[in-house]
Amino acid sequence: PGVTLQTFAARDQALAWLDAEHAVLVNVTRRAAASGLDVHAWQLAWSLAVFFRRRGHWRDLAATQRVALAAARRLRDQNAQAYIHRELGLACAQAGRFRQARFHLRCALRLYLALGDHDGRARTHLTMGVVWDIQGYHREALSCALDALRPWPANERPPHKAVTPVTQAMTVNNLGWCHAQLGELDQARTECEHALQLSRGIGSPYGQAGTLDSLGYIHHRLGDHHQAAAYYRLAADQFGRIGELHDLAGVLSRLGDSCQAVDESAAARVAWQEAVHVLRGIHQSDADIQAKLRRLDSADGQVR
């Protein structure tokens, strides 16, 4: 009684509210758990996870998911625990705590197998692949993407939750990305073009954005820098529309690389400056991109 729910007419308004209130929401999650409201605590953490990932708030993601895990254990809710372990695996990897990341992801895999959740298990394999990819172990990352495609073990009860089309599209894109990292560019392009068709077919803006980014990287490696820049611009537009600022900054950085490769210094500068602006807005380091801008300034000075 007396509470008025706030509503939003557009995505941007909702994201702006979350930007303003996210520190409060982290504390509310903690207070819910401390007050014995365990269902509220883990579901608040679940509700915030996508926002934290899109903004690159890895510390907040980890903090809320740890609270959520303790709450889910008290509730003996295995579905919640599996999801939380997967989120914690990603958060730990982004913080460089790779051993902890793999521990949480192994926990998630065991739980999803026991629960008969094929989709959750596949997504956990994909997250494990991200952990290896961050460390530069691309062959291991490829193996994880292939694991996500494998059939459900024949010696287990049939799963009650099949792999979703969204997860399938993500998996094919991850396969292509891993092949690209390994220099297997023709295979990478084939996989990612297929992934783009899948994501467009199901209307997944995040899937499309991620795959367009992959195709930009592949064409950059192939030496087709104009086509790479075109893909990167499409990816940046999609990431910007859905508020995926962490990935948007990465795409803008790579867009600048492709522009610089064809001596379009002005376009490279604009892309890198936009990336700096995005990173500062989400309070993340822009040191690598500032270094690119300094090198560009130095090269321009030598030309003049």
Side-chain angles (χ1 to χ4, degrees):
V3 173
T4 301
L5 295 178
Q6 189 163 354
T7 59
F8 305 97
R11 182 193 302 271
D12 289 347
Q13 293 177 12
L15 288 170
W17 183 86
L18 285 163
D19 283 326
E21 302 292 345
H22 86 262
V24 175
L25 292 164
V26 171
N27 287 326
V28 168
T29 304
R30 291 193 182 107
R31 290 189 65 176
S35 302
L37 301 172
D38 285 331
V39 173
H40 297 73
W42 87 257
Q43 290 184 0
L44 277 166
W46 171 79
S47 299
L48 291 166
V50 171
F51 170 74
F52 287 155
R53 279 189 263 115
R54 289 187 175 180
R55 292 306 204 234
H57 295 320
W58 306 114
R59 185 176 300 176
D60 290 330
L61 178 63
T64 50
Q65 294 302 319
R66 288 192 188 99
V67 171
L69 183 59
R73 283 172 171 165
R74 288 191 293 269
L75 293 165
R76 299 183 181 181
D77 187 331
Q78 289 190 318
N79 280 292
Q81 290 176 53
Y83 172 83
I84 295 160
H85 276 300
R86 195 174 85 225
E87 292 290 346
L88 276 170
L90 179 61
C92 288
Q94 293 291 347
R97 298 193 295 272
F98 301 115
R99 184 175 296 180
Q100 290 182 39
R102 288 191 289 273
F103 166 78
H104 284 296
L105 293 171
R106 286 193 296 268
C107 289
L109 285 172
R110 286 195 296 270
L111 286 164
Y112 280 128
L113 183 62
L115 291 164
D117 186 339
H118 198 178
D119 188 70
R121 191 165 178 262
R123 288 204 175 209
T124 305
H125 281 303
L126 293 182
T127 306
M128 186 74 83
V130 171
V131 175
W132 288 119
D133 185 68
I134 291 171
Q135 297 174 86
Y137 295 113
H138 304 302
R139 188 65 65 185
E140 289 80 357
L142 177 62
S143 179
C144 290
L146 291 170
D147 284 340
L149 289 175
R150 296 192 199 286
W152 188 257
N155 60 337
E156 298 289 337
R157 286 185 302 173
H160 74 85
K161 185 175 182 182
V163 176
T164 65
V166 172
T167 301
Q168 291 173 351
M170 290 170 58
T171 303
V172 177
N173 174 54
N174 284 25
L175 284 172
W177 174 259
C178 292
H179 282 298
Q181 296 298 313
L182 292 165
E184 299 161 355
L185 299 176
D186 289 337
Q187 179 71 18
R189 181 168 55 185
T190 298
E191 297 284 9
C192 288
E193 286 174 350
H194 181 209
L196 186 59
Q197 290 179 344
L198 293 174
S199 289
R200 284 175 171 166
I202 58 178
S204 171
Y206 179 81
Q208 291 175 61
T211 308
L212 289 164
D213 180 23
S214 297
L215 284 165
Y217 178 81
I218 291 163
H219 280 272
H220 183 87
R221 290 283 303 272
L222 287 166
D224 188 355
H225 301 297
H226 289 292
Q227 184 61 62
Y231 276 124
Y232 282 141
R233 288 190 174 98
L234 290 171
D237 181 63
Q238 288 275 20
F239 280 134
R241 286 174 185 270
I242 62 177
E244 187 80 42
L245 300 187
H246 175 71
D247 286 336
L248 173 59
V251 169
L252 290 169
S253 177
R254 290 185 283 279
L255 171 60
D257 296 342
S258 291
C259 291
Q260 187 185 40
V262 290
D263 295 323
E264 295 179 358
S265 297
R269 186 185 307 279
V270 168
W272 288 335
Q273 287 173 340
E274 288 181 8
V276 167
H277 176 73
V278 171
L279 288 169
R280 289 181 177 177
I282 58 177
H283 308 292
Q284 293 203 15
S285 173
D286 60 4
D288 290 346
I289 300 173
Q290 290 286 7
K292 292 180 181 182
L293 285 166
R294 286 193 296 272
R295 288 194 294 270
L296 185 61
D297 289 339
S298 176
D300 285 350
Q302 290 174 3
V303 170
R304 287 195 292 269

